[in-house]
Amino acid sequence: MVTMIIKRLIQLIFLLIGITFIVFMAMHIAPGDPASIIGGPTATQSDILAIHHRLGLDKPIIIQYLDYLNGILHGDLGFSFQTNRSVAQEIWTRLPNTIDLAIASMIVAIIIGVPAGIISALKQNSWLDFSSTTLSLAGISIPNFWLGALLILVFAVNLQWLPVGGLDTPFWTFKGFKEILLPAITLGTGSAAMIARMSRSSMLEIIRADFVRTARAKGVKEHMVIWVHCLRNALIPVVTVIGLNFGGLLGGTIITEQVFAINGVGRLMVESIASRDFPMVQGGVLLIAFIFVIVNLVVDIVYALIDPRISYQ
Amino acid sequence: MFEHILEVKDLGIQFKTAEGFLSAVHGISFNVKRGETVCIVGESGCGKSVSALSLIGLLPNNGEVYKGAIKFQGKDLTKLTSDEIRKLRGNDISMIFQEPMTALNPVFTIGYQLREPLKIHQGLNKARANQVAIDLLRQVGISVPEQRMKQYPHELSGGMRQRVMIAIALACNPKILIADEPTTALDVTIQAQILELLNDLKQRFETSVVMITHDMGVVAEVADRVIVMYSGEIVEQGDVETIFNHPEHPYTQGLLASVPNVDLEQDILEAIPGTMPNLEEQISGCRFHPRCPFATDKCRETKPDIFSIDQHDVRCWLKEAEADGQASRIISN
Ligand SMILES: Nc1ncnc2c1ncn2[C@@H]1O[C@H](COP(=O)(O)OP(=O)(O)O)[C@@H](O)[C@H]1O
Ligand SMILES: [Mg+2]
C-alpha cells in the first residue's frame, strides 16, 4: 500500500509536467494577445512590443516554457500579467471557496445519489424506482447554469429563503450553509444522478448474488442483509464513480461560481482566460489537475479498505 | 416425538413469468426421518432446487407455494410469517449450495460470517462465538482455524470454502441440513472428501440431510432413501437398496443405465433419448410418456396413480399391470 502511494506520487510529478506543457502550449497557440489587452485599445505597436518584452513573450516559445517549468520546480508559479501579483497567492486566497463548493456538492451528490439508487434497486420497477431513474436522467441532462438560475429565481428571488450568491464563510457554519446550499445543489445534481444510476445497477446485481442467499439462509434479518451484506459490496463500483465525478465537479465549479458570484478559483480562471492571463490559467489548471489526481489516489485507498480482494503490491 | 422431522404433502410451486403463472413443481409428497439422508435426484431443471428452497422459505421473488404443506416438527412452514421462518433458517433448518466460490460474502472475514448465525440464533457474544466458530472449523477439517477466522473467502480454495459453508450451516446444530448439489462444482477428490465429511458430521450432529444431486455416484455414497424427480413430479421413491437393485420406473431405470458413477448430465441423453418438457408445455397423461420406451395409450391419456409396496412408491401405469392386487394405490392428480 505504501509503495503504491509512493509510486503514484512519482507518477503524479510526471503527469503534472505533462499537463503544464499542454496547457502552456494551448494558451500560447490560442488566438488573442495578452499585451493588447493590457495595453488597451489605445496602445501603439511599440507599446505592445514593450509589453511583450516585459512579460518575456518575445523569447522563443520553448525557452518561455523551460523558464516557466524551471520556476515551477522552484515552487514559483509566476506572476499575473494583469495584476502583477503572485499566481500562487491569488489562487491560494480563492482556493478555500472552491474546495468548499466542491466538497459540499459531493456531499449533496452522495447523500442524494446513494440512497436513491439503493432504494430504486430494492423497489425495482415500482413508481419510486421509475421516478428516481427519470429524475436521474433529468439530473444528468440539465445544464448547471440553467439549474442554478432556476434555483436562484425560486429560492432566492421569489421565496427569499436563501441568498442570491456569494460565499464568505465555510459551509459547516449556518450562514455558510445557507450560502452554499443552492450552489452545491446546482453543482451536485449531475453527480448525484450518476451516483444514483451506478448505485442502482450495482445493487441490482448484488441482491441477486449467491452470498446474499447464503446470508438469508443463515437467518440474517432482511434489513441486515441489505445494509450490511449487500451495501458494502454494492458501494465498490460507486466509489469509482465518486472519484471520477470529483474531476467533473472541479470543472463544474467554473460555471457554478460564475452563476452564484462565488469568488473562487473557477471564477478566477474565467477572468484569466478572458484577459489572456497565461500564468494564472496555467496555475489554475495545474492545481485542479493536482487535486483530481490526489482525489483518485484517495479513491484507490478507500477501494482497498472496502474490498479485501484488492491489494496493492 | 414425531417420527418424521419433515413431512412434505402435495407441495406445488409456481412462478410468475411473462407467460403467466407456470407450475414448476406439481404436488410432491415425501417425508424425512430423524437422522436420515434423503437424496433427491433428477435431471437439471426438474425442480430439485426450487423444492429445496421452498423448504426454507427462500423461493425467488416471483415464486410461491400454491398448494400443499411443508410440516417441520408438525408445524406448517408455509403458514409462518417471514420473520418466523427466518428464525428457523440457519438454526433448525440450514442449507448449503452448489457454488462455494460465490456463496460466501467477499468483503467479510470467514470469522464474521461464521459468528453471524451464532449471534443471531444463540445470542452469543463475540468472544464466545469466536470459540464456537473455531471449534466448528476444526470439526469440518480446517487446519489452523484461528488463522482462517481472519482470512477472507478469496484466500481459500473451493473445497475449503465449502467446508466453511458446512461449518456455517451446522453452527446452530440444525435438525435438517439441505444440501443442493454441494459437490457438483468441486473436483473429484475434493468431492469425495466433502461427501465423507457430510456423512461423518451428520452422525455427529444427528442431523437429517436432504441432499440434492444429479449424480448417482453421490446417491450411492450418502443416501438412505432416494427420491427420483422428473419434470416437477416425484416418479419413484424408496430406500437406496430398492432403488438401485429394483428400480421400477422406466425413468429411474434409464438413470441407472447411464454408467454408474458418471455424471448424469452427460450420459442421460444416451440412456434416455429426448429432453424434459419446458414449464409451459402441456403434457397429457404421464409427463414422461414422450420419452418412455414402454408408453401405452393409457400413459398418453391418463396421468398415472402412485403404486406403493413397502414404502416403495412408483408413479407408472406399468406397475398397475404388474402388481395389481398387492400394491396400494394412491390416486392423485
Ligand atoms: N425464478 C424463476 N422464474 C421462473 N422459472 C424458474 C425460476 N427458478 C426456476 N425456474 C424454473 O423451475 C424449474 C425447476 O428449476 P430448478 O429447481 O432450479 O431445477 P433443478 O432440478 O436443476 O435444480 C426450471 O424449469 C426452471 O427454469
Ligand atoms: Mg439445481
Side-chain angles (χ1 to χ4, degrees), chain A residues 148 151-157 159-169 174-183 259-262:
Chain A
L151 290 175
I152 290 176
L153 201 64
V154 175
F155 293 100
V157 178
L159 295 172
Q160 303 201 341
W161 288 350
L162 297 163
V164 179
L167 177 66
D168 35 44
T169 20
F174 183 64
K175 178 161 179 290
F177 178 78
K178 284 196 346 191
E179 283 172 349
I180 202 83
L181 199 55
L182 293 184
V259 173
F260 287 93
I262 293 171

Side-chain angles (χ1 to χ4, degrees), chain B residues 15 17 24 43-51 60 62 181 279:
Chain B
F15 288 104
T17 69
E43 272 166 282
S44 183
C46 70
K48 306 182 296 289
S49 294
V50 297
S51 304
N62 63 333
E181 314 221 20
L279 294 190

Side-chain angles (χ1 to χ4, degrees), chain A residues 260-301:
Chain A
F260 287 93
I262 293 171
N263 197 12
V265 178
R267 194 137 167 255
L268 177 66
M269 297 278 284
V270 173
E271 288 160 6
S272 309
I273 291 172
S275 62
R276 295 291 179 274
D277 193 344
F278 296 171
M280 203 58 115
V281 176
Q282 284 154 199
V285 172
L286 207 56
L287 175 82
I288 288 176
F290 177 78
I291 295 176
F292 183 61
V293 174
I294 293 294
V295 166
N296 276 284
L297 180 62
V298 171
V299 164
D300 283 344
I301 294 169

Side-chain angles (χ1 to χ4, degrees), chain A residues 209-222 224 228-230 232-233 236 306-310, chain B residues 53 56 58 86 89-90 95 97 99 102-108 112-113 116-117 120-121 152 154 165 168:
Chain A
D210 281 357
F211 63 78
V212 176
R213 186 180 55 187
T214 303
R216 295 205 174 98
K218 286 198 280 194
V220 176
K221 287 187 181 138
E222 193 56 30
M224 296 287 278
V228 176
H229 282 268
C230 294
R232 184 136 166 221
N233 283 281
I236 294 169
I306 56 178
D307 187 350
R309 286 165 296 186
I310 293 176
Chain B
L53 289 170
I56 54 169
L58 281 185
R86 178 190 65 74
R89 284 204 290 264
M95 184 157 180
F97 302 96
E99 235 346 300
T102 53
L104 292 165
N105 193 324
V107 303
F108 292 108
Y112 179 90
Q113 302 188 53
E116 226 176 357
I120 296 169
H121 299 299
Y152 289 92
H154 73 274
M165 279 299 294
I168 291 173

Side-chain angles (χ1 to χ4, degrees), chain B residues 140-179:
Chain B
V140 297
I142 286 181
S143 56
V144 282
E146 292 84 358
Q147 197 180 320
R148 299 289 178 212
M149 290 285 283
K150 297 189 200 96
Q151 289 185 312
Y152 289 92
H154 73 274
E155 298 172 83
L156 272 54
S157 68
M160 285 274 228
R161 292 190 210 181
Q162 198 60 298
R163 284 174 195 267
V164 171
M165 279 299 294
I166 294 171
I168 291 173
L170 293 178
C172 298
N173 234 317
K175 310 240 169 27
I176 303 178
L177 173 66
I178 302 165

